[in-house]
Amino acid sequence: MALFTLENLYFKSRNQEIIRGVNLEIEKGSVVGLTGKSGGGKSTLLKLIAGILVPSSGKVLYEGVDIQSMNNIKNKEFRRKCAFVFQDSALWANQDIQQNLNLPLQTHNPDMTYSQRLERIHEICSIVKYDRSLQLRPADLSMGEQKRIAFARALINNPEVLFLDECTESLDRKGVEVIMSLLNSFVNEGKTVIYVSHSSVFITSLAGKVLVIEEGQLSE
Ligand SMILES: Nc1ncnc2c1ncn2[C@@H]1O[C@H](COP(=O)(O)OP(=O)(O)O)[C@@H](O)[C@H]1O
Ligand SMILES: [Mg+2]
């Protein structure tokens, strides 16, 4: 069974059809890229697969189960396993870095103690090579640092699937190197990456299937 199955997926907003009849299977352990012109529907499709947006019609199945029909327990497990790195990082502006990383950890691991969580936060910060204070807020960080913290937040609960929307945009060279090596080891562990990118360097360095989306429809 495919990890994700998209069945005749449509998404409409303000009477505009943004996604128009997408069918797709994504296998566990694969790397799938979505590319295409700006405004073509890449981000919308990525968010539909991740369950962040709700389709107007059609279905997204995760391990054969419609995301929209999952009960609370299954939905929470789905959300732990599938992590999203947003194009604009989308960190919580009124929380410091420690709080930004603590929140998903606490949500999914209520039994962890404060010191266990802090240890995991330090560990994930070292993986993304963030060595500044945990008491800074997102606005105190460069865009590249914010993006690395967004990765840390996505990876903190050991997800099975990573969704990436233009994740190397606004990254400096150091950031790109850190993220690429991190993604390569993620894929080598047999995990799944579904990404949107304009960058041909990014697309060629992450092997995998690349799909083009134009006016809400897929072509290979
Ligand atoms: N929530 C929304 N409401 C209305 N229109 C939207 C919404 N989200 C995206 N759009 C429109 O849908 C189209 C596709 O957007 P998007 O998925 O962001 O494309 P891409 O990521 O390929 O640039 C664009 O025309 C955009 O303006
Ligand atoms: Mg986009």
Side-chain angles (χ1 to χ4, degrees):
M1 189 203 304
L3 186 64
F4 286 95
T5 308
L6 280 55
E7 290 180 358
N8 206 20
L9 204 61
Y10 282 80
F11 182 79
K12 226 188 274 185
S13 180
R14 297 186 202 121
N15 288 326
Q16 188 198 351
E17 272 190 341
I18 298 168
I19 296 298
R20 303 184 297 145
V22 170
N23 290 287
L24 179 66
E25 290 200 339
I26 298 173
E27 300 299 328
K28 189 174 160 71
S30 62
V31 177
V32 176
L34 300 169
T35 190
K37 284 197 212 95
S38 178
K42 303 182 295 296
S43 296
T44 305
L45 183 59
L46 196 69
K47 287 174 187 166
L48 285 165
I49 306 171
I52 293 169
L53 289 173
V54 179
S56 314
S57 67
K59 281 179 191 168
V60 177
L61 310 180
Y62 175 77
E63 294 177 333
V65 180
D66 184 348
I67 297 174
Q68 298 308 321
S69 71
M70 285 176 179
N71 64 25
N72 280 350
I73 294 169
K74 183 79 188 158
N75 185 263
K76 198 167 179 190
E77 182 196 324
F78 171 73
R79 286 190 290 116
R80 190 194 66 75
K81 287 186 176 170
C82 299
F84 204 104
V85 178
F86 293 91
Q87 185 164 5
D88 62 356
S89 294
L91 299 174
W92 292 293
N94 61 345
Q95 309 275 301
D96 68 23
I97 300 310
Q98 183 172 334
Q99 290 166 324
N100 267 273
L101 296 173
N102 187 55
L103 197 63
L105 208 49
Q106 202 164 20
T107 303
H108 292 289
N109 307 277
D111 297 338
M112 275 175 105
T113 64
Y114 176 83
S115 64
Q116 286 171 328
R117 287 200 302 269
L118 192 57
E119 192 181 338
R120 177 61 181 150
I121 289 169
H122 282 298
E123 183 181 41
I124 204 74
C125 283
S126 111
I127 289 172
V128 301
K129 303 221 169 6
Y130 177 80
D131 55 14
R132 297 181 65 198
S133 165
L134 292 176
Q135 271 62 60
L136 295 173
R137 288 192 173 188
D140 303 322
L141 272 51
S142 72
M143 297 301 272
E145 287 167 336
Q146 288 182 32
K147 192 49 75 81
R148 280 186 278 130
I149 293 299
F151 263 90
R153 180 176 65 178
L155 292 170
I156 201 156
N157 284 314
N158 290 314
E160 294 295 318
V161 185
L162 262 183
F163 290 92
L164 312 171
D165 197 350
E166 307 279 6
C167 73
T168 52
E169 223 178 58
S170 77
L171 270 184
D172 48 12
R173 245 190 70 176
K174 174 189 172 191
V176 175
E177 278 168 20
V178 170
I179 297 308
M180 285 319 299
S181 102
L182 203 146
L183 286 178
N184 280 316
S185 37
F186 189 81
V187 172
N188 288 337
E189 289 167 21
K191 297 179 171 183
T192 311
V193 175
I194 307 171
Y195 69 90
V196 164
S197 184
H198 274 112
S199 154
S200 53
V201 178
F202 184 79
I203 293 171
T204 46
S205 47
L206 260 189
K209 183 154 77 168
V210 181
L211 305 164
V212 179
I213 178 153
E214 275 172 0
E215 295 175 9
Q217 294 183 314
L218 280 187
S219 57
E220 256 177 84

